[in-house]
Amino acid sequence: MIFRFLVLLLVLAFIEVYTFQAFKTIAKNKTFLWIYAVLSIALLIYIIYGFTQFDRSVGQTPSSLRTMGLLLLVYVPKILITLILLGEDVFRILIGVVNHFVENSNESTFLPSRRKFVSQVGLGLAAIPFLSLIYGIFEGKYNFKVIKQAIFFSDLPDAFDGFTITQISDVHSGSFDNAEKISYAIDLINEQKTDLILFTGDIVNTHAKEMHPWIDTFNKINKHAFGKYAVLGNHDYGEYVSWKTKEEKADNFEAIKQLYKQIGFTLLLNDHTFIEKEGQKIALVGVENWGHNFKQAGDLDKAGAGLTKNDFKILMSHDPSHWEHVVKNDPNHYHLTLSGHTHGMQFGIEIPGYFKWSLAQYVYKQWAGLYENLGRYVYVNRGFGFHAYPGRVGIMPEITVIQLKKGENRA
C-alpha cells in the first residue's frame, strides 16, 4: 500500500513538474508562478487528504464525489500538457543528438530551449478537458436526453407492432444533489406516454437509505398500461463496501429489493412474465446481475424456463457483457436485451448518427446504444444517474424510448 502511494506521488510530481514548465515558458512573472505553485500544492494535499478519508464501510459520499471530481478536473488537463511537453522533449533530445554528433555544433547547451509555441498549444488544448469537466459537473450530469429507437422484428406478434417501452437504468440515487433536476427528469419520463416502463438496475450506489429521500419523487412516474418492471444491478448487492456482519449486508440487500416495490416496480429475479395484448403475448424476462467481471447471480436458464425459441422475448439484464458472452448465442433466441451499467464512462464524444467514442468501448463491446448479431439485439442505456465522477461530458444521462416494429430485421 505504501509502495503504491509513493509511486502515485512520483507520477503526480512528474506531472506537476512538466505542467509548471509549460507555465514557466509563457509566463515570466515570478509572482504568478509562485501563486500557481502554491495553489497546485494545496490542491494536491486536499486531494490526497480527501482520499485518505474514504471509509469502505460507508462507500461513496458527497465528499468522495467532490474529491474525484477535483482529481479529474486538475490532473486530466495536466496529463495532456505533460504528454505534449514530453513529446517536445523527445524532439529536443533528437535535435541535440543531431547537432552534437552529426553536425558537430559548437552550441553551449545540448538541448535546444523550450519553444513558447508548444507550451501555448499544450495549455490551449488542456483548456478543452478542463472546461468540459467543469461543464460536466455543473450542467452535464443533469442534461437528460430522450433517445428514441425503433427496432424491427419479422416475428413480432402483430398486436405489438408499434408497442413502446421506456427504459431507465443506473439511477445511483445516492449521488443526487438537485431535487429540481430529478423532478424534471421524472416529468420527461411521463411525457413519453409509453406502454411499458423498464428499469434495468442500480437504484443506489450501495445503501438502501440513499433512495429514501427520492421515493416520493420516483413514485410520480405514471402507471403504464402494461406495467412497470425492474431487475437488479451490480451496485444493488452492496458488494463494494465493508460490512460489520453478513446479516447487515443481507438486510441492506432485502431493503434494496423493497425499494423497487416502494416506487411501484415489479422486480424480476431470474424469472419471467407475459405481456398480453389483443390475445397475443410477448415474454418479459428478468435476470439478476450477470457481469463478465462482476457479480454473476443471473441465471438465464432459470429465468427463461418453459419458454421456447418461438416465443418473442425481451430480456432485462443489467450488464451488457451478459449479452456478449451468453445471451446472443443462447439457443432460446432472445430477441431484444435491455442493459445499462457502462454509463458510457460518463465521458466521451457523441455525434448522433455519425460518431461515438468513449473509453468504455475498450472495456465493453456494447457500451451505448443499439447493437445486433444475427437478428438479436441489445440496447445499452447510457444511465440516468452518475457515479464516482460527479458529472457527464459528451455522454449524457438517458431516458430511452424503444418502439417495437413489425418488419424485416435491420440495424
Side-chain angles (χ1 to χ4, degrees):
M1 185 68 179
I2 295 177
F3 176 75
R4 290 182 181 179
F5 180 72
L6 291 174
V7 170
L8 178 61
L9 276 182
L10 287 173
V11 171
L12 293 178
F14 181 79
I15 292 169
E16 290 289 0
V17 168
Y18 262 93
T19 308
F20 182 79
Q21 290 298 316
F23 280 100
K24 185 178 179 182
T25 302
I26 65 171
K28 304 302 180 182
N29 187 302
K30 290 186 177 180
T31 301
F32 170 81
L33 293 175
W34 271 107
I35 291 173
Y36 168 79
V38 170
L39 182 61
S40 294
I41 293 171
L43 287 171
L44 177 59
I45 291 172
Y46 178 86
I47 290 168
I48 292 173
Y49 172 78
F51 279 111
T52 62
Q53 299 306 297
F54 183 78
D55 186 345
R56 276 195 57 83
S57 66
V58 176
Q60 181 174 281
T61 63
S63 177
S64 65
L65 275 170
R66 284 194 299 271
T67 301
M68 179 59 75
L70 190 59
L71 175 70
L72 294 174
L73 186 62
V74 170
Y75 283 101
V76 168
K78 288 187 176 184
I79 288 171
L80 182 57
I81 293 170
T82 299
L83 291 174
I84 291 171
L85 264 65
L86 195 58
E88 183 193 22
D89 279 352
V90 172
F91 182 76
R92 291 167 68 207
I93 291 170
L94 290 175
I95 293 298
V97 169
V98 170
N99 288 340
H100 186 78
F101 294 103
V102 179
E103 298 183 3
N104 295 316
S105 173
N106 293 321
E107 300 227 1
S108 58
T109 58
F110 177 76
L111 287 177
S113 59
R114 288 195 179 279
R115 291 173 294 174
K116 184 177 181 180
F117 172 73
V118 174
S119 293
Q120 288 174 328
V121 169
L123 290 168
L125 291 175
I128 297 173
F130 180 75
L131 294 174
S132 297
L133 287 163
I134 289 178
Y135 167 81
I137 291 170
F138 290 99
E139 294 293 335
K141 65 185 178 184
Y142 293 127
N143 187 12
F144 293 95
K145 301 295 183 184
V146 176
I147 297 180
K148 298 186 178 183
Q149 178 71 62
I151 310 177
F152 290 78
F153 302 92
S154 59
D155 56 348
L156 179 69
D158 292 338
F160 288 88
D161 187 15
F163 190 84
T164 53
I165 303 168
T166 295
Q167 181 198 4
I168 59 172
S169 191
D170 300 88
V171 163
H172 291 282
S173 55
S175 301
F176 294 157
D177 57 10
N178 190 318
E180 183 179 347
K181 294 292 187 180
I182 301 305
S183 292
Y184 165 73
I186 299 302
D187 289 341
L188 275 182
I189 291 172
N190 289 333
E191 286 174 12
Q192 306 316 307
K193 295 182 168 58
T194 56
D195 298 307
L196 174 70
I197 184 167
L198 305 178
F199 182 173
T200 46
D202 278 0
I203 195 170
V204 295
N205 296 327
T206 297
H207 297 93
K209 63 183 179 182
E210 297 167 21
M211 186 64 184
H212 291 169
W214 307 102
I215 288 176
D216 289 343
T217 302
F218 277 79
N219 265 321
K220 293 177 183 177
I221 295 177
N222 292 339
K223 290 183 178 180
H224 285 59
F226 293 88
K228 301 161 71 172
Y229 293 90
V231 292
L232 297 172
N234 56 304
H235 280 269
D236 294 327
Y237 293 84
E239 298 283 305
Y240 307 117
V241 300
S242 301
W243 298 93
K244 293 178 182 178
T245 64
K246 290 182 179 179
E247 290 74 20
E248 184 182 23
K249 181 181 178 182
D251 289 344
N252 182 70
F253 182 49
E254 290 302 317
I256 286 173
K257 288 190 286 186
Q258 288 300 313
L259 288 175
Y260 288 95
K261 182 178 180 180
Q262 290 170 35
I263 61 171
F265 282 79
T266 299
L267 194 60
L268 296 178
L269 301 169
N270 294 324
D271 199 359
H272 70 266
T273 187
F274 288 100
I275 307 296
E276 297 189 20
K277 184 181 181 184
E278 298 173 11
Q280 296 180 318
K281 62 184 180 180
I282 61 177
L284 179 64
V285 185
V287 294
E288 292 194 51
N289 190 78
W290 193 104
H292 186 58
N293 296 309
F294 290 89
K295 187 176 184 68
Q296 296 186 357
D299 188 333
L300 188 60
D301 291 335
K302 180 181 178 182
L307 298 176
T308 70
K309 184 179 180 179
N310 295 324
D311 290 313
F312 190 93
K313 295 174 288 297
I314 296 175
L315 171 67
M316 290 189 290
S317 182
H318 177 73
D319 191 321
S321 67
H322 190 206
W323 187 81
E324 173 62 26
H325 293 278
V326 178
V327 178
K328 76 177 186 180
N329 297 314
D330 190 278
N332 232 8
H333 190 92
Y334 286 85
H335 296 73
L336 173 62
T337 299
L338 299 179
S339 299
H341 181 64
T342 72
H343 301 204
M345 289 284 188
Q346 297 171 209
F347 189 95
I349 302 171
E350 192 164 11
I351 304 173
Y354 295 96
F355 182 76
K356 184 171 65 176
W357 175 89
S358 167
L359 291 172
Q361 69 191 56
Y362 305 112
V363 182
Y364 296 93
K365 288 187 177 181
Q366 300 81 29
W367 60 276
L370 185 67
Y371 302 83
E372 182 265 345
N373 179 68
L374 300 175
R376 308 177 192 199
Y377 292 86
V378 61
Y379 189 91
V380 185
N381 180 285
R382 294 158 179 82
F384 183 95
F386 52 93
H387 183 255
Y389 164 57
R392 282 179 176 266
V393 178
I395 309 295
M396 298 308 174
E398 175 179 358
I399 297 163
T400 313
V401 175
I402 291 172
Q403 185 180 44
L404 306 181
K405 295 292 291 181
K406 181 89 171 184
E408 291 302 315
N409 292 336
R410 60 193 186 207

